[in-house]
Amino acid sequence: MLYGVIGDIHSNYEALLAVAEELNRERVDQILCVGDIVGYGADPCKCIELVRELNCVTVAGNHDYAVIEKFPVSYFNEDAKNAALWTIQQLSKDCVDYLKGLPLIVGLDTITLVHGSLNRPEMFNYIVSGPDALASFYLMKTQICFYGHTHVPLANFFHNDSIFVDKGHAFDLVHAEKAMINVGSVGQPRDWDARASYALYDTNRQTVEIKRVKYDIHNAVNKIYEAGLPESSALRLLE
């Protein structure tokens, strides 16, 4: 089985479309999404529609829940809050209903999906340290968990009550007791690589590879400016 794993799309249709085209070329069997389809960017509904067309197994991110009032926008900084309030005005009833139906956690076969941490997932805590990951590892019932939220791809491996972090781009799971893998961000990477990020998980080879793809950044940036969204959302795409 070959899975494509995406997340943190953040209403960036150009990036999502480029990733979808790559996943089609890779001939993946199933696409998984770790949430935050909306937020920051200018195409929330188009991104939701494409995620649905791709038949993604999807969990909710904090921005997805914020625009349907399941998570307080007061949690966000001012620019993210303004983007969320703008997004609320753009969503059709069909898009709202779709977001309302997204769960916080999904388990399938040997895989768990969550946006942030498995520890109180409704709080969307960040995994930025060993102790953060450890709390989720103790709650994991599968070998592998894919997550996002920080927009920075990396892998956390759990073995004999110890955690090992790998910031590379290819991970071997053959001897892994448990692994939590952040797939990075499709629509707003924050690791100083402007290309869209996604992952390929090959269950036969027991490998995960972080992949990057170029997309039309300038068109995405221009849409943000034209929509009157916060400038920071445009500038982040160029970093």
Side-chain angles (χ1 to χ4, degrees):
M1 189 86 168
L2 183 62
Y3 290 98
V5 194
I6 63 176
D8 291 289
I9 299 160
H10 286 300
S11 301
N12 187 335
Y13 182 73
E14 284 73 18
L16 178 58
L17 186 60
V19 168
E21 290 171 351
E22 286 296 310
L23 291 173
N24 183 56
R25 279 191 280 271
E26 296 278 2
R27 297 187 178 183
V28 300
D29 299 298
Q30 176 71 66
I31 302 175
L32 313 175
C33 178
V34 297
D36 269 1
I37 304 170
V38 303
Y40 297 121
D43 283 314
C45 280
K46 288 180 72 172
C47 287
I48 291 171
E49 289 163 6
L50 184 50
V51 166
R52 297 180 75 177
E53 287 174 18
L54 295 170
N55 197 30
C56 296
V57 176
T58 306
V59 293
N62 53 317
H63 288 260
D64 301 324
Y65 266 19
V67 298
I68 56 171
E69 299 182 346
K70 283 190 173 184
F71 187 75
V73 294
S74 58
Y75 167 87
F76 296 142
N77 63 43
E78 195 64 22
D79 284 348
K81 177 181 177 181
N82 289 335
L85 294 174
W86 178 89
T87 299
I88 290 170
Q89 301 302 314
Q90 314 305 312
L91 296 179
S92 66
K93 182 181 183 302
D94 192 42
C95 287
V96 168
D97 289 343
Y98 173 75
L99 295 178
K100 284 183 176 179
L102 293 179
L104 288 168
I105 299 174
V106 166
L108 61 161
D109 299 324
T110 61
I111 304 169
T112 299
L113 302 179
V114 70
H115 183 65
S117 172
L118 289 172
N119 182 29
R120 301 181 69 190
E122 73 282 359
M123 298 301 295
F124 298 102
N125 295 315
Y126 289 90
I127 295 178
V128 295
S129 68
D132 297 335
L134 191 61
S136 288
F137 275 127
Y138 286 142
L139 293 167
M140 278 178 65
K141 297 178 181 179
T142 58
Q143 182 198 20
I144 186 168
C145 175
F146 290 109
Y147 71 103
H149 203 26
T150 68
H151 300 208
V152 177
L154 58 80
N156 301 281
F157 293 98
F158 180 80
H159 185 71
N160 291 336
D161 280 341
S162 296
I163 294 177
F164 307 89
V165 178
D166 188 340
K167 296 183 179 180
H169 66 276
F171 313 116
D172 187 342
L173 305 178
V174 172
H175 301 294
E177 183 179 337
K178 290 182 179 180
M180 293 193 68
I181 299 179
N182 190 317
V183 300
S185 172
V186 169
Q188 197 188 86
R190 295 178 185 171
D191 60 347
W192 305 105
D193 185 336
R195 296 173 298 169
S197 176
Y198 66 98
L200 289 178
Y201 174 35
D202 189 324
T203 61
N204 294 324
R205 297 171 57 198
Q206 281 290 283
T207 58
V208 175
E209 185 177 2
I210 302 296
K211 307 279 283 187
R212 307 302 286 245
V213 60
K214 292 181 179 180
Y215 70 94
D216 190 345
I217 291 177
H218 293 288
N219 196 40
V221 165
N222 288 338
K223 283 183 177 180
I224 289 170
Y225 281 118
E226 289 169 3
L229 285 159
E231 184 179 30
S232 62
S233 296
L235 295 178
R236 264 183 166 170
L237 300 186
L238 298 171
E239 290 179 345

